[in-house]
Amino acid sequence: LGRREEAVELYGRAAAVFHEIPEPWHEALALDGLAAAVEVTAPERAYAHWRAAHALLAGYDDRRARALREAIEGRLPTPP
């Protein structure tokens, strides 16, 4: 929708709240959204958020978690 700054702010706040609760599943979803919102302007920051989300998802083995982990893996650069 062209409202990247708002998305960054809202996803960032959501990730922080879910981290404090703690609620790893929802924190991972918020970090995924945050990464997508900053990817164009700050790819390294996006990769850090995706790596954090991927780590949070390690404790989940359901179909949805596996799909999100695979999607995140596809967004991260491959090591040299």
Side-chain angles (χ1 to χ4, degrees):
L1 298 173
R3 297 165 65 180
R4 186 175 312 277
E5 290 178 20
E6 286 179 62
V8 170
E9 182 182 337
L10 293 173
Y11 279 123
R13 280 195 279 161
V17 168
F18 290 129
H19 181 78
E20 286 180 34
I21 292 177
E23 180 57 52
W25 171 257
H26 289 99
E27 182 183 355
L29 293 177
L31 288 170
D32 180 50
L34 180 57
V38 301
E39 182 180 23
V40 172
T41 58
E44 293 302 321
R45 189 170 152 210
Y47 301 149
H49 293 314
W50 274 320
R51 284 190 292 272
H54 192 272
L56 288 167
L57 294 168
Y60 298 91
D61 194 37
D62 58 279
R63 181 173 25 103
R64 187 173 173 202
R66 286 190 305 270
L68 184 52
R69 276 196 308 270
E70 289 172 10
I72 290 170
E73 290 165 4
R75 294 177 184 127
L76 292 171
T78 55

